Amino acid sequence: MNKLLPVLLLLGVFGSCRKPQDTPPLQSILTDGVWRISLYKQNNNNYTYLYSGWQFRFNNDKTVNVSNGTQTFAGTWNEDPRADNFTINITSTEQELSEISHLWFNKLLTYKQVLFHNDRANPTKELQFTKL
């Protein structure tokens, strides 16, 4: 019985452990719904207010439509799961859209929120989308 107790305890510990959920693919997250920018920072300066009212719809064909309520802009997006990065390119003369149009690295991916960063650029940047 003394030898059986440790084995039973180990079985209980390993049996109760759950495998963490794998991060869902970025495409399945982004193409499900409409998104807004809930955070945009450069060198720890918060510029999120510049994106108030902007809405982003990411399409399965790797296009993105962006609207601020009066104007609509088109662009493209792409992901590289092996490199864990995301690229967005929006055709616009709007400074706000130019600021976010480049390569981003995945930091956090959930079904309601995606957070990207780029600490290889100067200035360092963070970009977060939240589902509406």
Side-chain angles (χ1 to χ4, degrees):
M1 182 68 178
N2 287 342
K3 293 180 181 181
L4 186 57
L5 187 58
V7 172
L8 290 174
L9 286 173
L10 284 174
L11 284 175
V13 168
F14 289 117
S16 65
C17 292
R18 291 185 178 180
K19 179 183 175 194
Q21 292 281 341
D22 288 332
T23 303
L26 181 60
Q27 182 166 351
S28 69
I29 294 171
L30 286 180
T31 58
D32 182 30
V34 178
W35 298 82
R36 68 178 177 86
I37 291 180
S38 53
L39 177 69
Y40 179 68
K41 289 170 75 173
Q42 284 189 14
N43 284 344
N44 293 321
N45 295 312
N46 193 328
Y47 296 104
T48 307
Y49 66 92
L50 295 173
Y51 300 92
S52 179
W54 290 88
Q55 293 185 356
F56 295 75
R57 180 174 299 277
F58 296 91
N59 304 305
N60 280 316
D61 65 356
K62 303 293 178 116
T63 60
V64 59
N65 298 60
V66 184
S67 175
N68 63 4
T70 57
Q71 297 174 293
T72 301
F73 303 94
T76 59
W77 69 275
N78 198 23
E79 68 174 319
D80 183 348
R82 284 176 270 144
D84 211 20
N85 65 37
F86 163 80
T87 304
I88 186 169
N89 185 10
I90 302 166
T91 306
S92 168
T93 57
E94 298 291 321
Q95 183 65 31
E96 300 97 303
L97 298 178
S98 296
E99 288 293 328
I100 65 170
S101 291
H102 61 80
L103 175 69
W104 296 93
F105 298 93
N106 301 346
K107 191 169 185 179
L108 171 71
L109 305 176
T110 70
Y111 284 107
K112 296 189 184 272
Q113 196 171 59
V114 292
L115 177 61
F116 304 106
H117 69 100
N118 191 336
D119 55 4
R120 297 176 187 171
N122 188 8
T124 59
K125 299 178 181 185
E126 282 187 289
L127 174 66
Q128 179 174 295
F129 288 97
T130 300
K131 188 185 283 191
L132 294 176

